[in-house]
Amino acid sequence: MKLFFSIVSFCMCVLCPSFAHAGISSYAEQRIAEFMKFRVEISSCATNKESLQLLAEFKNETDRNLPLHSIDVEQEKLIFDSFYVMERHHYMYDEVDKRPFLCDAMKLQMEKNETYLSKLKGKETANKWLYVLTGDVTSCYMTFSLSATLRYGFRVKELYEKALKLDSGLSYALTNLGQWMFYAPKIFGGGKKKALKCFSHAVESSRNDGEQFFSDIYMSQYYFDRKEMGLSKEFLEKASAYNQDSRYVEQIKMLNENGWSLFYYNRHRAGIDEDIKNSNYKEPVDED
């Protein structure tokens, strides 16, 4: 029996040299689907501190079980570590003193992912999730530095497109590529029409409630930016239906009520946050 499995393993390596890279375990696939739902759920926590605590618990459970089930433990860990640093960034960014730490963490994760990808040769490919998440952490790292934006901007697009080449209906990658297209000038391959195509495809191809939640939000904010308020409200209400208590949705509604789209906010966050701070709007305060 041991000889049989050895022969099978040998044949898979010889005939399918990319197997160890492109494939991830069924456990990892399951946890990714669970994470899509989980990240929507923790957006309704009363405080950022509570969201971060639940996020750490999810990560710890995944880290304990991953070595028992993984096909490629290094790649699968990079995928989940990337999810973690991205989500952690969302809940820690408002703490100004934590931003240097977040920048360093994003850069380190980007470098780890790229080191793994650089090992691939010939026709070998990574899993779609590693491509899109490497694009994510790189994109996020770029927000801390203009020089990084100039250096890695096209790399981000390339990574999203590699993920979509492996799975053209990957909603998570489509929403991210859509955002890249939204901000990038036409002369560099971007444009609002291309963004709409990505967001529409993301809405249509979402495979779980978590993906649907975010694709509806980005569709809503695209229409808000275009001043098509009826469609904007319709998609935001669809997203809200997946989590009526989401603080993220409430934040977007507040932005929209003040005339800002999520896309505009992301580009002008510092100034808008200052305006909000000086207004009557009060952000939920984390308890020590």
Side-chain angles (χ1 to χ4, degrees), residues 177-196:
L177 182 60
Q179 291 175 80
W180 192 97
M181 294 295 183
F182 186 92
Y183 291 115
K186 288 183 180 180
I187 193 172
F188 294 127
K192 302 291 179 64
K193 289 184 179 179
K194 290 181 179 179
L196 176 59

Side-chain angles (χ1 to χ4, degrees), residues 19-70:
F19 175 82
H21 300 292
I24 60 175
S25 65
S26 58
Y27 173 77
E29 292 280 11
Q30 176 189 335
R31 289 298 278 176
I32 289 171
E34 290 171 355
F35 188 79
M36 292 296 112
K37 180 181 178 182
F38 173 76
R39 63 198 291 254
V40 177
E41 292 173 347
I42 64 173
S43 72
S44 63
C45 290
T47 66
N48 289 340
K49 183 177 180 180
E50 183 181 346
S51 299
L52 288 166
Q53 181 178 345
L54 292 175
L55 179 64
E57 291 173 3
F58 187 99
K59 182 181 185 298
N60 290 338
E61 181 182 348
T62 304
D63 287 348
R64 284 195 304 270
N65 289 289
L66 202 59
L68 305 176
H69 304 281
S70 64

